[in-house]
Amino acid sequence: MSTADLAAQEKVFTEVFDMELVETLHLDATQARTVFGIDHETEVDGAEVRVLGTPGVEAGVVLVAFSPASTETVRSWETRVSRDALKVIDFYAPDYEGAIARAKDLGYRVIESEASYELPEGTFREAHLWGPDNVVTAFLGGPADFFADFAQRTDGWVSEVQSISAPLTDAQPAVDFYRDVLGWEVVFEYAIDDPSFAAMVGVEELVLRSRNVGPSTREPYFGLIDYGLTEASEGTLLGRARAPRRGLLGALLVTDEMSSLLKRAGDAAGPPVTLDLLGRNQAVLLGTPHQVPHVVLGSHGN
């Protein structure tokens, strides 16, 4: 995610979501442009990168502060249900009420409308925290035996990142891309038709359907969402998730098979950039059908 204030954004994830600083990196202007696909008409002098991770789990968030900082964000309160950009980072909270109370005690804004809805697996609860740069995170509560098949960390206030939701106009091209290029499949599907969920996201009614695509339920995955709303009521943010715009931009993926991934990606892969991060020395920007940027880290020759 792109931020105007690294310290403030880092504080959210270390205080509320129990992450730790893993690594930092400075990108010069050329690296920043190539890694994040910034056009030459946009001013950028470089970028500071901070990687935060959940202890014991290979999952976390990547914060990037571009210089100069953008005055624009990907999302706003008014575009909270708009399609074609990432929306919410989900965390399982074993003590749901306790985790929310703790966040509020720390001074964070958890919106008043909370959702409680039924799925075949049981009753689930959800609340959203709005943080800096209009980045939204979610606390998820539900049956412990269900989340045992999803969360690797269940002994803290929250788990590692479970999923990132993405409301899309047409999810099928994205499903095909994840399968053909990354080898991912649909690992879980669900539907929600509940007034409390509609109120939480700020609409009168909806019938949400989600296809969750990833390597497995035990690793972070993308929730490709259809809210069941009209295009006019949702609007689209297609192409708006572009650096250096602030907010939840895209995803950082790590692979040990960069060469074969690039062959499968074909023209969707940008030029490789040499940089040292997370034990890898090469980064490539992948274009996606939904125009949500994905940066892949790997190593030369692999």
Side-chain angles (χ1 to χ4, degrees):
M1 66 192 69
S2 171
T3 180
D5 189 335
L6 278 171
Q9 196 65 267
E10 180 178 346
K11 191 176 180 182
V12 175
F13 290 98
T14 56
E15 283 194 339
V16 180
F17 299 104
D18 296 338
M19 293 187 183
E20 297 178 351
L21 180 63
V22 175
E23 196 167 343
T24 63
L25 180 68
H26 174 76
L27 303 180
D28 62 28
T30 300
Q31 290 174 316
R33 286 189 185 281
T34 308
V35 170
F36 294 102
I38 302 173
D39 61 63
H40 287 281
E41 296 179 355
T42 302
E43 182 183 2
V44 62
D45 298 325
E48 298 298 325
V49 179
R50 293 185 188 177
V51 180
L52 309 178
T54 299
V57 181
E58 193 175 11
V61 298
V62 179
L63 311 180
V64 186
F66 294 97
S67 177
S70 174
T71 60
E72 299 180 347
T73 56
V74 177
R75 284 191 181 273
S76 66
W77 180 256
E78 291 72 25
T79 60
R80 59 194 181 278
V81 296
S82 294
R83 296 169 281 110
D84 304 314
L86 300 183
K87 182 182 178 186
V88 181
I89 308 172
D90 295 321
F91 296 84
Y92 167 52
D95 179 0
Y96 174 80
E97 292 184 352
I100 293 173
R102 176 171 173 263
K104 290 181 177 179
D105 288 343
L106 289 167
Y108 294 98
R109 179 193 176 202
V110 180
I111 64 172
E112 294 181 0
S113 294
E114 298 182 16
S116 178
Y117 48 89
E118 298 293 329
L119 296 180
E121 295 81 6
T123 301
F124 291 78
R125 301 173 69 185
E126 183 170 342
H128 290 176
L129 184 157
W130 277 71
D133 309 296
N134 293 327
V135 172
V136 184
T137 48
F139 300 96
L140 304 179
D145 56 349
F146 170 85
F147 281 103
D149 292 330
F150 287 74
Q152 297 181 55
R153 183 188 179 189
T154 58
D155 59 351
W157 286 106
V158 293
S159 68
E160 74 282 8
V161 173
Q162 292 293 281
S163 61
I164 306 172
S165 66
L168 299 181
T169 299
D170 183 2
Q172 190 58 51
V175 172
D176 296 340
F177 171 84
Y178 288 127
R179 181 193 63 234
D180 297 340
V181 176
L182 301 180
W184 293 357
E185 299 292 344
V186 176
V187 295
F188 182 60
E189 297 184 67
Y190 66 91
I192 299 173
D193 181 2
D194 186 275
S196 67
F197 193 93
M200 181 183 65
V201 300
V203 297
E204 292 185 0
E205 59 181 341
L206 56 73
V207 180
L208 179 150
R209 288 179 171 79
S210 179
R211 283 186 282 178
N212 297 322
V213 180
S216 74
T217 61
R218 300 284 289 170
E219 298 181 59
Y221 52 81
F222 290 103
L224 308 182
I225 290 174
D226 179 356
Y227 279 133
L229 303 173
T230 65
E231 291 189 12
S233 63
E234 289 178 289
T236 179
L237 299 174
L238 186 67
R240 189 166 175 81
R242 293 183 63 87
R245 206 170 268 134
R246 292 161 26 230
L248 189 52
L249 287 180
L252 180 74
L253 314 176
V254 177
T255 183
D256 292 323
E257 301 177 354
M258 179 69 95
S259 296
S260 58
L261 186 150
L262 293 180
K263 289 180 182 178
R264 295 192 300 272
D267 293 340
V273 178
T274 299
L275 56 82
D276 293 317
L277 187 66
L278 297 176
R280 273 72 176 182
N281 56 29
Q282 188 179 65
V284 172
L285 176 66
L286 291 183
T288 64
H290 46 310
Q291 297 186 32
V292 172
H294 291 20
V295 175
V296 181
L297 289 181
S299 296
H300 297 290
N302 289 341

